[in-house]
Amino acid sequence: MTTITKETTLEENLAQFKRDGFLLIPGALDAATIAKWKETLYGLYDRGAYEIRNGVGNVAFEKLLALEPDLAKALVGHPSAAPILKTVLGKQCQLRSLRGHLNPADYKQEWHMDFYDYYYQEEKAEAENPLRALCINSTFYLTDNTPDRARLTFVKGYLEKPVPDRLIPYLRYTEDREDPFQRWCDEQEQEDLHPMAGDMVIFYSHIPH
């Protein structure tokens, strides 16, 4: 993976994003913003005000736009993501969801996609001329994910070698690592990212991670 620094140009970032489908951008959030988000999310967690808690150690908050509108809206079209969103999606860009996550316990990453419907759009559209949409996820990190502590893993080269057609029926959330799609991901070349507090990772939402 190309090393990304604050001095990396937009053209270099775009080239890597278009090649790999994911990109780590350091220093997107300042220390004060990180501290405020940590206070907010851990406060919600302590009160049990979350919507999702799964079996691999992930807790999700789905109502942040309503609960913390000013804090949340500042992340929509954030300057660290906006140039890529504008270039790739243009005027068709719109907000699909805004969600916060915590990993209070050890996070054992299962293979998943944030936009499974990428593969089902035509059949679900009920349209004469259905169009295939793209989703892009911009994730801001609040803690340091050093190699000894945590990582974010992607299937490498997925844009050139997507999931085989025979596995598309298995594209749904599961924590069963013996599932055919989970096994296929385990067998592919992988790339680990180690985002630090304040870093952002932007990626196509149909890439397994």
Side-chain angles (χ1 to χ4, degrees):
M1 182 185 73
T2 304
T3 300
I4 299 297
T5 67
K6 290 185 179 181
E7 290 72 35
T8 305
T9 66
L10 173 60
E11 289 73 20
E12 290 171 322
N13 283 346
L14 280 167
Q16 183 177 338
F17 180 74
K18 291 177 181 179
R19 183 188 70 236
D20 298 335
F22 54 87
L23 177 71
L24 189 155
I25 298 179
L29 299 181
D30 58 48
T33 302
I34 295 169
K36 180 59 178 175
W37 267 114
K38 290 178 73 171
E39 176 187 3
T40 297
L41 293 183
Y42 279 104
L44 290 171
Y45 173 73
D46 289 341
R47 297 194 298 274
Y50 50 82
E51 285 70 50
I52 298 172
R53 183 166 191 165
N54 62 27
V56 295
N58 190 282
V59 171
F61 308 86
E62 304 245 327
K63 300 178 181 178
L64 296 175
L65 275 172
L67 296 174
E68 294 286 343
D70 293 335
L71 196 59
K73 287 178 182 178
L75 299 184
V76 179
H78 190 275
S80 58
I84 293 177
L85 296 175
K86 183 177 180 179
T87 300
V88 177
L89 302 178
K91 293 182 178 179
Q92 293 182 312
C93 182
Q94 57 183 281
L95 180 65
R96 181 171 181 257
S97 66
L98 193 153
R99 175 187 288 181
H101 292 271
L102 286 181
N103 304 128
D106 291 340
Y107 177 47
K108 301 175 181 178
Q109 179 181 315
E110 81 295 353
W111 290 109
H112 66 281
M113 301 173 176
D114 293 336
F115 185 37
Y116 290 100
D117 277 359
Y118 177 81
Y119 290 96
Y120 303 108
Q121 293 182 71
E122 286 84 356
E123 64 188 75
K124 288 188 175 183
E126 298 181 358
E128 184 174 320
N129 298 299
L131 300 177
R132 173 167 285 194
L134 284 172
C135 279
I136 295 177
N137 184 315
S138 51
T139 299
F140 298 89
Y141 283 79
L142 306 178
T143 57
D144 291 340
N145 295 275
T146 54
D148 61 316
R149 180 183 181 277
R151 69 185 187 279
L152 173 63
T153 302
F154 285 95
V155 169
K156 191 173 182 178
Y158 188 80
L159 294 182
E160 295 183 355
K161 186 184 176 184
V163 61
D165 288 346
R166 63 181 172 80
L167 292 181
I168 289 179
Y170 296 96
L171 297 185
R172 77 278 189 241
Y173 182 83
T174 178
E175 296 170 15
D176 178 11
R177 292 307 285 260
E178 294 305 313
D179 176 83
F181 173 65
Q182 300 284 317
R183 292 202 308 268
W184 181 84
C185 291
D186 282 335
E187 294 166 357
Q188 306 311 301
E189 185 178 3
Q190 300 165 16
E191 183 158 336
D192 292 340
L193 303 184
H194 296 283
M196 305 295 280
D199 292 353
M200 182 193 75
V201 178
I202 187 168
F203 57 93
Y204 286 114
S205 301
H206 64 282
I207 293 182
H209 57 287

